[in-house]
Amino acid sequence: MLYVVILAMIAGFVALTLFRALGKRTGHEQTMLRPVEDRAPITALPRPIENAPEPREIANRNVDAKAEAGLRQIVSAEPGFDVGQFVDGAQSAYRMILEAYWKGDEESLDWLVEPDVKQAFADAIAARSEVGHVLDNRLVSIERAVISDAGLDGKQARITLRFDADIAAVTRDAEGNVVAGSMSDAVETHDVWTFARTLRSSDPNWKLADTDEA
């Protein structure tokens, strides 16, 4: 089974280097999803194919015990689902969504996130543009990505992951002056993102459906 849905987009980001409050900070408070003092918030993920193999064992180091039952439901409904590849794809999506938001790339956000999440991003992008602020952020590393919850309601699957990451964050004004943050001092973030998809649908994409703090 193949779990590559957005190869072209991933290649684009890698070539260049790749709804709320994004992440609990420790040490230095810095805006991620809203401009300066005001914060706002898959693909490359599993895609079903015909003649999928038998369901795989889902327990691994990237899965909390409480998520296993929900993942088994998903695997049962779509035997081609692979947990390891999903986690890898989720990390790529995490990077792409953050970079698209930071750059104000709403076109990419259209197919990476659900409409209500897209609206939150769009509102935050518009707000920072209005005051002339630009985010000069960089995802330094993803230290850990773990599936913390999963479930299936009819054909609607939802998988929640906790991302522990380090982000170098700087907000600049229209003249390029730093108004917040530091590129030399990475900030720890602890984010909980939920991805959703209708299983066995014609749309193979998992999209960001909700965000929260860990």
Side-chain angles (χ1 to χ4, degrees):
M1 65 279 55
L2 300 174
Y3 295 102
V4 249
V5 184
I6 53 170
L7 291 177
M9 194 63 196
I10 292 177
F13 276 92
V14 171
L16 293 176
T17 31
L18 76 328
F19 243 136
R20 300 188 320 210
L22 203 190
K24 182 187 298 179
R25 278 82 184 162
T26 60
H28 303 274
E29 293 301 317
Q30 167 61 21
T31 299
M32 294 296 146
L33 288 187
R34 291 203 246 165
V36 192
E37 65 276 7
D38 191 13
R39 296 192 309 171
I42 290 180
T43 38
L45 292 184
R47 177 173 63 187
I49 60 172
E50 296 181 357
N51 303 317
E54 291 301 311
R56 292 179 168 81
E57 173 58 48
I58 59 91
N60 62 45
R61 64 186 179 85
N62 296 114
V63 178
D64 284 347
K66 70 175 184 178
E68 292 183 8
L71 287 173
R72 288 194 176 92
Q73 288 182 316
I74 293 172
V75 170
S76 178
E78 192 166 278
F81 180 86
D82 182 278
V83 173
Q85 291 191 31
F86 180 92
V87 173
D88 289 343
Q91 292 183 77
S92 295
Y94 181 73
R95 178 182 297 274
M96 286 190 294
I97 291 169
L98 288 180
E99 292 185 350
Y101 167 73
W102 293 337
K103 295 174 182 177
D105 183 0
E106 295 187 42
E107 184 176 351
S108 294
L109 292 173
D110 278 335
W111 52 270
L112 288 167
V113 307
E114 295 286 1
D116 56 343
V117 181
K118 164 63 189 307
Q119 187 59 55
F121 278 119
D123 290 345
I125 290 170
R128 76 173 186 241
S129 177
E130 184 175 349
V131 295
H133 287 162
V134 175
L135 297 184
D136 185 12
N137 296 353
R138 177 169 59 89
L139 178 59
V140 177
S141 64
I142 299 175
E143 298 298 326
R144 191 165 179 256
V146 176
I147 296 176
S148 59
D149 200 5
L152 185 63
D153 183 5
K155 293 184 177 181
Q156 187 68 17
R158 292 174 67 88
I159 300 178
T160 300
L161 299 94
R162 171 183 166 128
F163 295 97
D164 297 328
D166 292 331
I167 294 175
V170 168
T171 300
R172 301 182 185 275
D173 62 19
E175 286 71 45
N177 301 310
V178 175
V179 296
S182 168
M183 289 299 285
S184 62
D185 190 8
V187 177
E188 293 182 10
T189 65
H190 308 289
D191 305 319
V192 178
W193 284 17
T194 298
F195 295 92
R197 178 176 171 267
T198 301
L199 300 184
R200 297 188 179 277
S201 69
S202 58
D203 183 358
N205 293 339
W206 288 80
K207 294 185 177 182
L208 179 61
D210 192 19
T211 71
D212 205 344
E213 295 182 352

